[in-house]
Amino acid sequence: SEQSKSRLCILLALLRAAHLIHHTAHLQASGATSYADPQLFARLYGDLVEEADGLAEKLVYLAGADSVAALDQVLRIHTAVRRAVEASPELVQRSYLLEQSVQAAIAAARDGLASEGGLPLGLDNYLAGLADAHDTACYLLRQRLT
């Protein structure tokens, strides 16, 4: 459905935004944790391009090439990055909040597709793997925040 396609497009944009936010934090980290934080952020952004690419390919398969149109994605990414930056000036907190948004988007996409009876096993497996990876990201960021 159009709503499920939109949920997947939002998730794709959030993955791309997370890459940008985590990579920027990697570059901007300073202070007492300026050695450990860049390593943490590098770990977080390292797999995001591949994750986004995998989701984009599934989205094209399910909803067509227009579902990953550059202009639509740029607008969605801009919104996600702006919300993340406005949510917190602190790099770790900002990344943590964005990772929580990624988790919420994964859950919304899975739940929406499942309720419509349109959740192929491969996509379900892929989304479950994303959720697992981003649970780890949330754990690492929460550990750093405490």
Side-chain angles (χ1 to χ4, degrees), residues 7-23 44-57 59 73 76-77 80-81 98-99 101-103 105-106 126-127 129-131 133-134 137:
R7 286 187 188 110
L8 291 171
C9 289
I10 289 167
L11 175 56
L12 178 60
L14 282 169
L15 292 173
R16 290 169 151 177
H19 180 270
L20 185 61
I21 289 293
H22 298 333
H23 189 224
L44 296 177
Y45 78 76
D47 294 331
L48 279 162
V49 170
E50 188 176 324
E51 288 176 3
D53 188 57
L55 179 60
E57 289 171 356
L59 192 50
Q73 276 292 296
R76 292 175 191 271
I77 293 164
V81 169
L98 185 53
E99 283 294 335
S101 295
V102 169
Q103 286 290 49
I106 292 167
Y126 189 79
L127 292 173
L130 276 181
H134 291 273

Side-chain angles (χ1 to χ4, degrees), residues 111-122:
D111 292 348
L113 285 161
S115 72
E116 295 170 1
L119 183 57
L121 184 57

Side-chain angles (χ1 to χ4, degrees), residues 43-135:
R43 179 174 174 181
L44 296 177
Y45 78 76
D47 294 331
L48 279 162
V49 170
E50 188 176 324
E51 288 176 3
D53 188 57
L55 179 60
E57 289 171 356
K58 290 188 179 303
L59 192 50
V60 168
Y61 173 69
L62 293 170
D66 288 346
S67 61
V68 295
L71 185 57
D72 176 68
Q73 276 292 296
V74 166
L75 294 172
R76 292 175 191 271
I77 293 164
H78 176 266
T79 298
V81 169
R82 189 186 77 247
R83 286 180 180 161
V85 169
E86 290 171 355
S88 177
E90 203 280 312
L91 300 176
V92 177
Q93 180 71 19
R94 180 182 298 165
S95 285
Y96 178 68
L97 293 171
L98 185 53
E99 283 294 335
Q100 288 184 313
S101 295
V102 169
Q103 286 290 49
I106 292 167
R110 287 183 83 203
D111 292 348
L113 285 161
S115 72
E116 295 170 1
L119 183 57
L121 184 57
L123 180 58
D124 187 37
N125 185 54
Y126 189 79
L127 292 173
L130 276 181
D132 184 51
H134 291 273
D135 272 347

